Every structure is written in structure tokens, then in C-alpha cells.
Amino acid sequence: RAKAKGRARYEIFNPGMHQQAVALLQLENDLRRAINRQEFFLEYQPIISLRDFRLVGFEALMRWQHSKRGRIPPIDFIPVAEETELITPLERWAIRQACWQLEQWHSNYDIAKSLVIHVNLSGQHFDEGLVAEMRSLLADIPLPPEVINLEITETMLMQNAETAVSLLNRLKDLNLRLSIDDFGTGYSSLSYLHRLPIDTLKVDRSFVNKLDTDPEQVAIVRTIMTLAWNLGIEVIAEGVESIKQQAQLNALQCDYAQGFYFSRPLGAEQIEKLLQESVAHFTPHPTAIPYKA
Ligand code: C2E
Ligand code: MG
Ligand code: MG
Ligand code: MG
């Protein structure tokens, strides 16, 4: 978007920028239509316990199957949805869809009874309206609130810390679970953490993927783990891609993991196949020693 003032005014004559602006407008228009055309769907990435390598739940991730351009990744359309304020209705759909899907799995498969669902929240959606929305969802759905985990980022929290704390408390009053996503990458929430009713920290993939090569990263992740442990917060390591990373996390006594090493995000039909076949275990590293609680 060309800024209204100063230097940026000249840049609008740059043909590259013009093309970009046109492409963005097109994307906005398509996004508006995509909701009605039902071009969005969810994928579910398994979350694994590092104690026993059992499936404990999923993170629901939004996908857009564009009629002409094919798959558009969330990092390309979420920011546009935020800018156009389409994010709230879109995410409202995603949360309901994910929760009803889990409800169905709970009632259809014995091994799914205790599985949880994580959903991502945009900063724009994180307001009073969300509290009402979640309350109404919980009134409709026969799912215990404890299995629904809302993920918010550090940056969202720190943009308006006082409001954030009060909103989090309202959501916690509904017995929902709350996570800080991409922990360690945002504007630091370290000094606030003890005041937040947070259940889970998701350690960002950028720390996890250096665990097997960089001893300093091991020290950082160990520190995050100790902090969380002292505050009674559980930890999920994001983006685990290798046996070595998994073994390292085991040695650090990390609670949970999510990553391509265990499973990529999968479509609902693929998850159902796993549940039908009662696949509740995900292969651990042969030398991993599950820790004793
Ligand atoms: P996120 O919430 O941190 O989600 C995890 C992302 O890491 C997902 O990317 C997932 O596919 C990817 N990932 C998982 N394991 C691995 C791994 O081992 N290696 C690598 N390289 N990547 C891994 P995805 O699905 O592309 O989503 C990207 C981001 O888009 C999400 O990051 C989240 O911030 C956002 N997003 C997705 N769905 C929603 C939504 O419904 N609402 C909002 N506000 N944001 C969403
Ligand atoms: Mg997330
Ligand atoms: Mg994340
Ligand atoms: Mg991330």
C-alpha cells in the first residue's frame, strides 16, 4: 500500500509496485468470495507426547484452495485477511469447524476420547467478541472446554498487555486452555508470564531446528523449559524435523512435540484413517529414554 505522505508517493509510479498493488487488490477480492465459495478447509497436525509417543491432539491449520491459483499458504493470505478485517469471520468458521470435527472424532473413535484441538487466533479477533463467541460455541457443542486450546502469539499479548491479561482471564473462566505460540520470537513476554493464565508454551521452530547443531540453543531451550516448569506451564516443541532433535528434546524432558518428523499436517480423511486403524503411537528415536514423571 502506498503511504499517503512523503517519499512513498513517488514509489507508486514504480511499475513493480503497481503490479504488487493490483495483485493485492485481486487477492482481497478473491478472499471475499472464497468464504462463500467454501474454498477454505482445515488440516490437522498431530501433537505427540514425548513421554510415551502417544497422540495427544492436533493443531488445526487453515488452508485456501484458490479456484485458479491452487493452494495459497496461510502466510500469504492471513495478513491480507487481517488487513481487510475478513479474518474474524474466517477464523470464527475455522474454530467452529475444528471443534465440531474433534467432537465427531471423540464420539466415533475410542482412541480419540481424550484428544485436544489447538486453534490459532489473530490479534484482530482477540477481543470481547471472541469471549461471547466461545461462550456460545461451548453452549452448542457437547465438547468439554478443557480440550479446546487457543493459541495466541507473544506479540499479540504485548501490544496491549493489560487488555490481553483481562481477556485471557475471561477465556480461562470458560475453562478453555490457552497457549503462547511461537514462543521466543516475539516481543518478550518473560516478565509478564507469571501473570498470564497460560497452560502451554509452544517453543518456536527456530529454536528447535538448531537443537541438534548448536549447543547454545540447547541452553536456551533448557532455560525456557525450566521457566515453564516452575510456573506450571507445559511445553510443546514446534517444528521437530529429525530424530536428533527429538532425542535432544527427550533429554531436556520436554512434554510434547509437533513437527514433520512425526507427521505433517493432514487432511481430515487422513486423520480418520489413523483413528480407524487405531494409530495412537508415533515412532520414537530408538535410543530415546522416556522420562519418569
Ligand atoms: P503456527 O501456528 O506456528 O503453525 C505451525 C506452522 O509450522 C504450520 O505452518 C505447520 O505446517 C508448520 N510446521 C509444523 N511442523 C513443521 C516442521 O517440522 N518443519 C517446518 N518447516 N514447518 C513445520 P502453516 O500451516 O503454513 O501455517 C503458518 C502459520 O499461519 C501458522 O503458524 C499460524 O501463525 C498461521 N495460521 C494458520 N492457520 C491460522 C488460523 O486459523 N488463524 C490464524 N490467525 N493464523 C493461522
Ligand atoms: Mg499455532
Ligand atoms: Mg507456532
Ligand atoms: Mg511458528
Side-chain angles (χ1 to χ4, degrees):
R1 292 231 157 152
K3 298 212 178 76
K5 281 190 216 134
R7 199 169 52 91
R9 208 186 288 167
Y10 297 96
E11 287 177 352
I12 205 160
F13 295 107
N14 169 329
M17 278 198 65
H18 178 69
Q19 260 176 15
Q20 260 188 351
V22 170
L24 188 63
L25 266 176
Q26 185 65 52
L27 201 64
E28 284 182 18
N29 278 327
D30 292 354
L31 202 59
R32 264 176 237 285
R33 275 187 234 125
I35 299 181
N36 294 329
R37 290 183 181 173
Q38 306 192 319
E39 292 179 351
F40 292 98
F41 64 100
L42 298 177
E43 283 192 329
Y44 301 87
Q45 187 176 32
I47 300 172
I48 310 302
S49 165
L50 286 171
R51 293 182 189 218
D52 54 11
F53 301 97
R54 284 190 156 266
L55 176 68
V56 295
F58 311 102
E59 177 173 8
L61 295 157
M62 220 188 294
R63 302 289 180 247
W64 181 9
Q65 185 68 39
H66 189 285
S67 53
K68 295 202 187 68
R69 295 171 52 186
R71 280 259 197 133
I72 301 181
I75 61 166
D76 290 337
F77 73 81
I78 300 274
V80 183
E82 285 178 329
E83 205 178 325
T84 52
E85 290 172 17
L86 290 167
I87 190 70
T88 299
L90 188 55
E91 226 166 51
R92 192 181 296 139
W93 166 81
I95 294 173
R96 293 192 84 91
Q97 177 73 20
C99 290
W100 280 105
Q101 179 63 85
L102 184 71
E103 199 281 323
Q104 207 187 325
W105 289 336
H106 273 203
S107 32
N108 292 349
Y109 304 99
D110 279 342
I111 65 157
K113 293 270 183 278
S114 58
L115 299 180
V116 304
I117 191 80
H118 283 244
V119 292
N120 293 284
L121 279 179
S122 154
Q124 278 198 29
H125 192 184
F126 186 57
D127 60 14
E128 281 300 316
L130 174 72
V131 180
E133 206 179 291
M134 292 312 297
R135 191 179 296 118
S136 123
L137 174 60
L138 290 171
D140 290 348
I141 201 168
L143 202 60
E146 299 82 26
V147 303
I148 304 171
N149 193 315
L150 303 177
E151 297 190 359
I152 51 194
T153 63
E154 257 182 325
T155 313
M156 266 168 66
L157 285 178
M158 300 316 286
Q159 268 160 5
N160 192 343
E162 288 310 315
T163 315
V165 173
S166 112
L167 276 175
L168 289 176
N169 282 320
R170 310 265 311 275
L171 292 166
K172 202 61 218 171
D173 287 342
L174 299 175
N175 288 320
L176 295 161
R177 293 281 149 91
L178 304 168
S179 293
I180 301 185
D181 201 357
D182 305 337
F183 187 77
T185 58
Y187 186 60
S188 173
S189 57
L190 272 187
S191 58
Y192 268 91
L193 208 52
H194 70 284
R195 289 185 48 201
L196 303 172
I198 288 290
D199 303 284
T200 316
L201 285 187
K202 299 191 76 176
V203 178
D204 192 69
R205 166 167 112 228
S206 57
F207 298 101
V208 174
N209 66 29
K210 288 183 221 121
L211 268 184
D212 43 2
T213 52
D214 185 349
E216 283 177 10
Q217 294 298 315
V218 178
I220 292 172
V221 175
R222 180 183 288 120
T223 305
I224 296 175
M225 229 79 88
T226 307
L227 172 74
W229 193 77
N230 284 323
L231 294 173
I233 296 173
E234 59 184 21
V235 176
I236 302 179
E238 294 193 285
V240 181
E241 289 184 350
S242 72
I243 271 179
K244 272 178 130 182
Q245 289 163 10
Q246 180 252 290
Q248 191 64 261
L249 288 162
N250 256 122
L252 292 169
Q253 306 200 340
C254 181
D255 306 299
Y256 303 105
Q258 186 183 339
F260 295 171
Y261 173 64
F262 294 105
S263 173
R264 287 183 177 264
L266 302 171
E269 319 72 43
Q270 288 169 290
I271 297 288
E272 236 144 84
K273 258 191 95 199
L274 290 180
L275 297 174
Q276 267 159 22
E277 291 161 9
S278 294
V279 179
H281 273 86
F282 285 73
T283 328
H285 183 222
T287 65
I289 310 153
Y291 75 92
K292 293 182 187 69

